Amino acid sequence: MNENKMNMALLFQADLVLESPLTLGNGQAEYSHKDLMLDKSGRPLIPGSSMAGMFYHYFSRHLEGEELAMLDQLWGSDNGDGDYTSSMIYFYDALYSGEWDEEQIGKRDGVRIDDSTKTARKMGKYDFQILYPGNRFQFKVEILLREKHKSLRGFAEKILRAIWELGRTGKVRLGGKTSRGYGLASLENGAYHSFDFAGHPDVFEDYVNHPWSFENNIQVLEAAPSEIGERVWNLLVPLVLNRSLLIRSYDVATWDVDARQLDNPDLHAVIPGTSWAGVFRSHVQKIYKEIVSQCTGQLTEKQQGMIQNETAYLFGIEKRGATGQKSRIIFDESADAEESHYTDITRVAIDRFTGGGRRGALATNRVTVDGHFNLSVTIDGPSDVEKALIYLAITDLCDGMIAVGGETAIGRGVFSLDLEKAEDYLKVVVDESQGWCDALLKHIKEGLGGK
């Protein structure tokens, strides 16, 4: 039998819906430092290579042994001695669906922080284009197996079901800055069709003519538990904004004030994952140093270096040249769960010599007040030590000891726990937090030279 003869084909299609802003660069910087990927008609496009890489990275972290080897076969591999295996799974470019409106493209900003001074680097300010949530794409994937790889049929079907389950539960993450809440997407209306060529040569013509036109024969994939176990840990913390919040939007197209709170197309106030990550990274290091100092009586340079390394292992290291490390902690973007309320506040800088207003120092800021936000924190393969540090930082946030956003020195960005919605969160921390904290103290005593 010809080993290259086609054995079976699996086709899967679904609607891909963005649940958070997407940033996916096209390599150009005409409108921002990183412009959005568009097709020749000017509509957004998600390349198949981006989806193939994302799914391979996910599955390679959650499979092991024989199944990991089969994953490499399915995606294609090179064993280094000239023996290549071509990919058997094909991700089509996800094309934009629906009516296109250029106002769906927005702009976000960021700043690179100096590790030593913890302040913005010189020329460290940058911006990038985003595609707002709610936009939809056509998602298509095809698996084609030949006779020599027919033993992968069961595994291929398992991968297809896992892709659907990831999408159905809204865990697909595409593009850049995924560990900071960007590119979160879900799959809807999933359906598939299988072609069994072994012993059924008559179906080959149907496959060749138009593999995506079997609307009457396509089978809808039902919801099913994933067969691939995840190693992630997630906390969802409902928060109430106690005062006001100002995370500046730098999309100046519609400005009628000097600064305004970042929002989404529904005019709900937004806290980007980058803001959460910056606040938590700084505070986790502060907590860690304080605990180590209390346990050891002092904080040595060696201990500070170890704390820095452990924090970097969790929060990631910026890529410089060939070195870098992806963040293992994900902060999803938080949007006000209810209708946001805004107010304009005018301030003036005072001249300390005259006691009067400085020339040109009058400014009006539009802030949001009395909001409700959900903080979602996810860690890939966390230790109990890492869980303890994040739990302690969340506790400080809910106690008002951490402030988020700008103008925190005058009381903005202070949150408390939303007790009416916190039942699930409280149950987790009441049952498990003591064990996390015990692990942290043990680690300090045994690993960092504590008493």
Side-chain angles (χ1 to χ4, degrees):
M1 180 180 290
N2 185 355
E3 289 189 340
N4 287 320
K5 185 177 180 180
M6 290 193 297
N7 179 270
M8 74 168 300
L10 289 172
L11 309 178
F12 174 74
Q13 60 185 1
D15 297 325
L16 188 149
V17 186
L18 291 183
E19 304 293 341
S20 72
L22 171 71
T23 171
L24 184 61
N26 64 2
Q28 299 180 0
E30 183 177 357
Y31 304 103
S32 68
H33 290 93
K34 186 171 77 171
D35 292 347
L36 194 66
M37 175 74 74
L38 304 175
D39 62 19
K40 64 180 181 180
S41 64
R43 301 191 301 177
L45 169 75
I46 303 176
S49 56
S50 293
M51 293 182 286
M54 182 275 297
F55 281 114
Y56 178 82
H57 178 71
Y58 175 85
F59 291 131
S60 65
R61 288 186 293 114
H62 294 90
L63 295 175
E64 55 187 16
E66 183 180 354
E67 287 194 324
L68 185 57
M70 289 191 289
L71 180 74
D72 287 335
Q73 279 190 295
L74 195 62
W75 253 260
S77 61
D78 173 14
N79 62 12
D81 61 0
D83 186 11
Y84 300 93
T85 299
S86 178
S87 176
M88 304 170 216
I89 185 166
Y90 309 93
F91 290 88
Y92 290 71
D93 289 348
L95 304 179
Y96 188 85
S97 58
E99 296 293 327
W100 171 238
D101 181 356
E102 291 186 356
E103 292 186 359
Q104 289 298 317
I105 295 180
K107 191 180 289 185
R108 293 281 178 89
D109 75 297
V111 60
R112 295 180 178 87
I113 302 298
D114 187 283
D115 292 336
S116 58
T117 65
K118 306 303 179 184
T119 58
R121 295 184 199 166
K122 185 178 181 180
M123 305 297 290
K125 181 75 169 58
Y126 64 93
D127 58 10
F128 51 94
Q129 285 188 322
I130 62 165
L131 183 66
Y132 286 118
N135 285 284
R136 306 174 77 90
F137 295 82
Q138 301 169 359
F139 177 86
K140 294 180 180 180
V141 59
E142 176 179 355
I143 299 177
L144 180 61
L145 299 181
R146 301 185 182 275
E147 285 293 331
K148 60 182 177 182
H149 295 123
K150 64 182 180 180
S151 60
L152 295 176
R153 288 181 66 155
F155 180 73
E157 293 171 350
K158 177 179 179 178
I159 288 295
L160 193 62
R161 288 192 298 270
I163 289 175
W164 166 236
E165 186 62 18
L166 276 175
R168 188 188 67 81
T169 55
K171 296 179 181 178
V172 175
R173 296 181 183 272
L174 299 165
K177 293 185 176 294
T178 54
S179 60
R180 299 300 176 253
Y182 288 89
L184 188 64
S186 61
L187 297 178
E188 299 178 355
N189 306 317
Y192 79 103
H193 191 88
S194 60
F195 295 87
D196 188 355
F197 302 120
H200 301 86
D202 53 306
V203 303
F204 184 78
E205 185 176 352
D206 293 336
Y207 168 75
V208 171
N209 285 339
H210 209 305
W212 302 104
S213 64
F214 296 90
E215 296 181 359
N216 296 327
N217 297 324
I218 275 183
Q219 300 164 283
V220 176
L221 284 172
E222 301 294 339
S226 176
E227 301 172 55
I228 297 178
E230 288 191 296
R231 300 177 301 174
V232 299
W233 175 77
N234 175 261
L235 278 181
L236 184 65
V237 189
L239 301 170
V240 176
L241 177 62
N242 288 344
R243 297 178 177 87
S244 58
L245 175 69
L246 178 60
I247 297 177
R248 287 176 174 84
S249 168
Y250 287 87
D251 189 353
V252 300
T254 59
W255 274 18
D256 57 350
V257 291
D258 296 288
R260 64 180 179 88
Q261 165 63 35
L262 183 68
D263 58 16
N264 59 24
D266 296 327
L267 302 182
H268 287 212
V270 166
I271 304 175
T274 49
S275 295
W276 286 124
V279 168
F280 269 78
R281 183 170 195 153
S282 173
H283 199 73
V284 162
Q285 283 189 339
K286 179 181 178 181
I287 290 173
Y288 209 169
K289 290 177 181 179
E290 288 179 352
I291 296 175
V292 171
S293 179
Q294 291 178 9
C295 290
T296 63
Q298 61 179 346
L299 187 62
T300 65
E301 186 175 337
K302 180 180 179 180
Q303 289 170 334
Q304 292 189 56
M306 295 176 69
I307 292 172
Q308 183 77 20
N309 291 337
E310 291 183 19
T311 305
Y313 178 61
L314 177 60
F315 284 86
I317 303 172
E318 180 184 357
K319 186 174 183 180
R320 297 175 184 173
T323 62
Q325 178 185 301
K326 182 178 175 62
S327 173
R328 292 173 42 246
I329 186 168
I330 298 173
F331 292 91
D332 285 325
E333 182 161 297
S334 303
D336 196 341
E338 302 177 1
E339 180 182 358
S340 294
H341 301 284
Y342 300 95
T343 185
D344 291 353
I345 298 177
T346 300
R347 300 178 60 205
V348 61
I350 302 298
D351 189 302
R352 59 176 177 159
F353 297 107
T354 66
R358 290 183 186 172
R359 185 176 181 179
L362 187 67
T364 300
N365 297 337
R366 181 165 298 156
V367 302
T368 184
V369 294
D370 302 329
H372 293 75
F373 298 83
N374 288 320
L375 167 62
S376 175
V377 184
T378 304
I379 306 179
D380 178 22
S383 65
D384 283 346
V385 171
E386 293 168 335
K387 291 179 181 180
L389 292 169
I390 295 301
Y391 161 68
L392 293 173
I394 291 175
T395 301
D396 283 352
L397 174 70
C398 295
D399 289 340
M401 298 175 65
I402 302 178
V404 182
E407 299 187 343
T408 56
I410 58 172
R412 305 207 198 287
V414 178
F415 291 86
S416 62
L417 186 65
D418 189 345
L419 295 175
E420 294 182 359
K421 302 176 182 178
E423 181 179 353
D424 292 341
Y425 167 74
L426 290 173
K427 186 177 186 305
V428 171
V429 299
V430 167
D431 292 343
E432 303 182 33
S433 60
Q434 187 60 53
W436 305 334
C437 293
D438 290 343
L440 174 60
L441 291 176
K442 181 180 179 181
H443 174 67
I444 292 172
K445 292 177 180 179
E446 298 180 354
L448 296 178
K451 297 177 182 179

